[in-house]
Amino acid sequence: MFISTHYEPGDWVIYRKQKSSTIPGPRAENVHAASKGNLYRYTVDKFWVVQEIDSEGQLHLKTRRGKCHLVASDDPQLRKARLWERWLYRNRFEQLDSDADHADAATGPDSVQS
């Protein structure tokens, strides 16, 4: 059974991003060595805020550093932060909210990056 998630501007979301590098960071999860052994592939949870929803249902997500990512609302890597995550990671989201306000003033509303 599929349950549709409706997002609103200001919602706190967590995006599970896949990365690869020679040295995974401390927040890396699901760490696996690449086939040739030179790199590691892993996932990292990113704490973003929904800035807006466009007419096609794409979400504009604001990062802690003011970047904006365009993500489909049905992306399986995206989900709303659960109540306990909102409490546990509140500093990351609160920092993101305050930094996003400063970034809007510096970059303007038309700077969308992926």
Side-chain angles (χ1 to χ4, degrees), residues 3-4 19-20 29 43 53 72 76 78 80 92 100 114:
I3 299 174
S4 176
K19 296 184 145 207
S20 63
E29 296 178 2
T43 59
I53 304 163
L78 179 71
K80 283 187 178 182
R92 292 184 189 180
S114 291

Side-chain angles (χ1 to χ4, degrees), residues 36-108:
K36 295 185 180 181
N38 297 336
L39 295 173
Y40 291 95
R41 298 183 61 81
Y42 54 93
T43 59
V44 176
D45 287 342
K46 299 292 186 171
F47 303 89
W48 296 341
V49 173
V50 177
Q51 183 179 17
E52 67 177 281
I53 304 163
D54 66 19
S55 59
E56 298 173 2
Q58 297 281 320
L59 303 176
H60 294 255
L61 304 175
K62 198 75 158 181
T63 71
R64 179 176 55 87
R65 296 187 178 188
K67 292 181 183 176
C68 188
H69 293 276
L70 192 61
V71 176
S73 60
D74 61 350
D75 189 322
Q77 303 300 322
L78 179 71
R79 63 181 173 77
K80 283 187 178 182
R82 297 176 183 106
L83 181 61
W84 67 270
E85 291 169 322
R86 291 174 60 90
W87 178 79
L88 185 63
Y89 301 118
R90 67 188 173 277
N91 291 336
R92 292 184 189 180
F93 287 113
E94 289 168 359
Q95 179 183 3
L96 192 141
D97 281 337
S98 66
D99 288 349
D101 292 340
H102 296 298
D104 284 343
T107 60

